[in-house]
Structure formats: C-alpha cells, structure tokens
Amino acid sequence: MRPSVRSRPAALLALLCLLSGCSDAAAAASPRTQAGTSPAAPATTSPSASPPAPVEQQVDAALAGMDRRAEVAQLFVVGVTLDDLSPGDDLVDGGVGGVFLAGRSRDPAPALADVTSRWADAAPGPRPWVAADQEGGQVQALQGPGFDRLPAADEQGQLAPDRLATLAGTLGAQLASAGVTLDLAPVADVVPAGTEAANDPIGAFGRQYGGTAADVVPDVRAVVDGLAAHGVTATLKHFPGLGLVDANTDEVAGVTDPVTTAVSEQVTAFGELARSDADPFVMVSSATYPRLDPAAPATFSRRVITTLLRGFLRFDGVVVTDDVGAAATFADVPPGERAVRFLEAGGTLVLTLDADVYPEMVDAVLARAEADPGFSATVDAAVRTALTAKARSSLLGGDPRVVR
C-alpha cells in the first residue's frame, strides 16, 4: 500500500470542513499530489535525493513518449459491446486508457484472450485496461466456457470464508486467462436488512454482501484479494454508497440519498477497504448526497472525492466514474463538461459506455487544460495517478507489483 502523505490532523480538519459545509481550503492545503490537486513538483532534484522507485521510472518513461492528447486519452475507459469487439481496435490504436466490455457474452475465454492480446500488442503506448462487470448473479458479463457461473453477492456473503476465498481466486484466474485486467466489482454498498426490495440499483438484485459494514467488509476484501492474486485490479463501488437510494442513476435523473454523511457506516466501510495493499480502484456514485454536497452529484463533487475520499479517508489511488456517457443522470450536461467536472473534483478515469462521446470529452479536457494552468496541473496529476496504477498492474512493462 502506498503511504499517505496527509497528516491525521489535516485529515480531521478536512472532515470538519466537510461536515460544517465550509470551503475546500483544508483539502487544497494538503501536500498530497494525487489527481484532483495542483501539485508543485520541484524543478530540480537534489544530488543527495534517493533515485526514483522502479514504478516512478516506468511512469516517467511512458510520459516521455506521449504528447498531450495521448496523455489525456489515458484518462478514459470506453465501452465496446461484447457482441462486436472490433471498434475496440480503433480505440486502442488511438491510445485509449481502457476498453470496457459492455453487455453479455457466451464466447469462450480463449476467444476473448485472442482479442485482448491483439489490443495489448497494438497499443502505441501503455497497454489498455480491459474492464468488465463480473460481479455475479444478474451482473456477469462473461458467461461462456472458461467462466464459472457466479452467485449474486448476497449469496456469496453466505459462504464460509474459505469457500469465498476460493471463489474469488477462481474468478481472478478466469478473468486473467481472458486478458481482463480490471473488474468493475465488487459492490461495497451497505444495504440495511429489510430494505433490499426498495433499493432498486443494489438490494433488489442481491448485489450487496450484507446489511452492515461488519458483514460487507471482510467479504469484499476477500474478493479484492482473490482478484489481485491473479493480477486483476478490483473496483470498489459505488462511493459514498448506493445502499440507501431507491432509484438507479443509469435510468433516473436526480437520484438522491438524503441520509449519508461523512461518518456513515457505508462511507467508513469504503475507507477501510480502499486502503488495501491490493490497490483497488474506487468507483464514485452518480447520486447526489445533500449532507455531503447539496450542489452536485458525487461524480462532480470536490467535497466527496477530494475532501472526503482523498482527504479524510486517505485514498490516493484511481477514482473512476460510473458510466457518464449514457446514464440518465447526466443527460442535461454536455459530454465534454462531464469529463472536465469530474477531473476538477479529483477523479482519475472517465468511464463512458457511449463511445461516440469520447472524442468530444477528450477535446473538452484538452481545451480546458490549454486555457487554465490550474486545470492543466490537475490533469497532469490525474495522468500520473492513472499511469502509476498501470505500472503496478504490469501494463507499462515488467512486473512492478513486487515493488511497493
């Protein structure tokens, strides 16, 4: 696990700021240099300074071979449908950060591996993430030979710890065999017992591991570790939690959770899980949380991403959106603005299932970075965070997972 540079008193100050509704000054004052901040790197290096770690060297080498558009492209994961993966070839040729396998497939794992290997070989720079929704139950993208049928999370949560660990390890091995490097799972949302049917995005489909953080955390950790054991990065979703909402943000605009605060159970569960040695990503929810930030959905909220997640909870890794391409929540926001606002809030990777809006998003980020030096520095930090994650997942070459 990468050590946090944020002091505990500063983190507490950030939490007090969030709870009291003050400005983001406390977060901005942090010495952290992760995505969403404006780092001030030294112009020179002291002769006595230690040499950069291997991961940092890999990131520096990757950046040296990129122009600005190639850097910004690394901040996007773009969907292609599993019934026709050929559009992924053009995306990869163009240097996209990742490809999301959308829909459902019954193709065998070796057939998928042929495609993902082709993408890895064709990438002009860093190899792309290959991402899938492989949770279990009704959310399992890959269902063909070579992929076991997975029980839903609520059923997984009933397994004995050793059986769940075995299931998670098998899941990681099977995804790795197909060249999938990023699982947009597991769900870490806490859905209180007795409310499942009313919780449309999670509980109604049994996507939760339990009704309390004590139930959820050990099960989710087992899945994260099982994936990581085979080189597959997990994604904790959907911060700060969808366990208390009654509608799906993919289908309904204006979904709101009026209950969750910075110290709510599902928030602290995410914090505990996000600091795992396995370096999971965190997917931010598209709902709005008035007690955290009444002015914006979590996707666009600096209070949620930078002050709470990166500040108080001390997460310095990759923050990824839920779908911002086709989701009803963002229909009234121009696509380019969606990407810019997320990065401004402290995010790292923009996920869009609608590939048609990807060029517009990249152009908007480039234009804003050209016009605004502060935003340009934010983009710099996000790119470095994204590439660091790739280095740790062996997508920049070598085997850096052993270097911490």
Side-chain angles (χ1 to χ4, degrees):
M1 180 170 63
R2 298 178 299 280
S4 171
V5 298
R6 189 180 185 91
S7 68
R8 192 63 175 171
L12 289 172
L13 180 60
L15 177 62
L16 290 172
C17 177
L18 184 66
L19 292 173
S20 63
C22 67
S23 72
D24 292 319
S30 168
R32 176 180 298 279
T33 58
Q34 299 303 317
T37 67
S38 298
T44 61
T45 302
S46 168
S48 62
S50 299
V55 164
E56 294 173 331
Q57 291 177 339
Q58 291 181 50
V59 172
D60 290 341
L63 287 169
M66 294 180 178
D67 62 18
R68 192 54 160 166
R69 181 172 289 273
E71 291 177 359
V72 170
Q74 287 297 307
L75 303 180
F76 290 86
V77 178
V78 180
V80 295
T81 60
L82 277 159
D83 57 6
D84 180 13
L85 294 175
S86 60
D89 293 345
D90 288 339
L91 289 169
V92 171
D93 287 343
V96 73
V99 178
F100 173 69
L101 308 178
R104 299 291 184 269
S105 173
R106 295 191 177 279
D107 289 342
L112 182 57
D114 289 342
V115 177
T116 59
S117 295
R118 183 174 76 237
W119 290 344
D121 292 341
R127 295 193 291 277
W129 295 105
V130 178
D133 266 332
Q134 199 80 342
E135 295 178 20
Q138 296 188 50
V139 185
Q140 180 173 344
L142 309 177
Q143 303 176 6
F147 300 104
D148 291 353
R149 186 66 178 171
L150 296 167
D154 62 348
E155 298 175 50
Q156 294 179 36
Q158 301 304 310
L159 298 174
D162 59 337
R163 292 188 61 197
L164 179 57
T166 298
L167 180 148
T170 300
L171 169 61
Q174 292 177 347
L175 290 175
S177 74
V180 175
T181 52
L182 176 62
D183 192 3
L184 300 187
V187 169
D189 305 318
V190 177
V191 181
T195 69
E196 295 90 349
N199 180 234
D200 185 61
I202 309 298
F205 298 96
R207 297 172 67 195
Q208 77 286 356
Y209 282 88
T212 67
D215 294 330
V216 169
V217 168
D219 292 340
V220 169
R221 182 180 288 119
V223 175
V224 170
D225 290 346
L227 292 168
H230 297 277
V232 179
T233 298
T235 306
L236 305 169
K237 58 187 187 185
H238 311 74
F239 183 81
L242 286 177
L244 302 177
V245 303
D246 59 5
N248 190 330
T249 55
D250 289 339
E251 302 166 353
V252 179
V255 176
T256 300
D257 171 353
V259 177
T260 294
T261 70
V263 292
S264 290
E265 182 178 29
Q266 59 180 347
V267 173
T268 56
F270 273 98
E272 184 174 352
L273 290 162
R275 294 189 295 272
S276 164
D277 288 340
D279 297 318
F281 291 4
V282 173
M283 177 181 285
V284 67
S285 159
S286 300
T288 298
Y289 300 81
R291 298 185 69 179
L292 295 173
D293 186 348
T299 306
F300 301 150
S301 173
R302 186 169 177 83
R303 288 186 181 180
V304 170
I305 298 176
T306 294
T307 304
L308 179 56
L309 179 58
R310 295 203 181 280
F312 181 66
L313 297 178
R314 295 177 291 137
F315 177 68
D316 61 4
V318 170
V319 179
V320 59
T321 68
D322 204 339
D323 173 43
V324 295
T329 294
F330 306 111
D332 294 336
V333 181
E337 186 178 341
R338 300 171 205 171
V340 168
R341 290 180 65 183
F342 170 67
L343 294 173
E344 282 182 321
T348 315
L349 293 182
V350 178
L351 170 66
T352 174
L353 271 62
D354 181 359
D356 291 340
V357 301
Y358 165 57
E360 181 179 347
M361 289 179 167
V362 171
D363 287 345
V365 172
L366 286 168
R368 177 63 181 276
E370 178 70 21
D372 182 347
F375 182 72
S376 182
T378 293
V379 171
D380 290 342
V383 172
R384 184 165 285 275
T385 298
L387 292 179
T388 296
K390 284 195 168 182
R392 292 181 182 277
S393 294
S394 302
L395 297 180
L396 297 186
D399 185 14
R401 278 195 171 272
V402 299
V403 180
R404 294 291 173 185

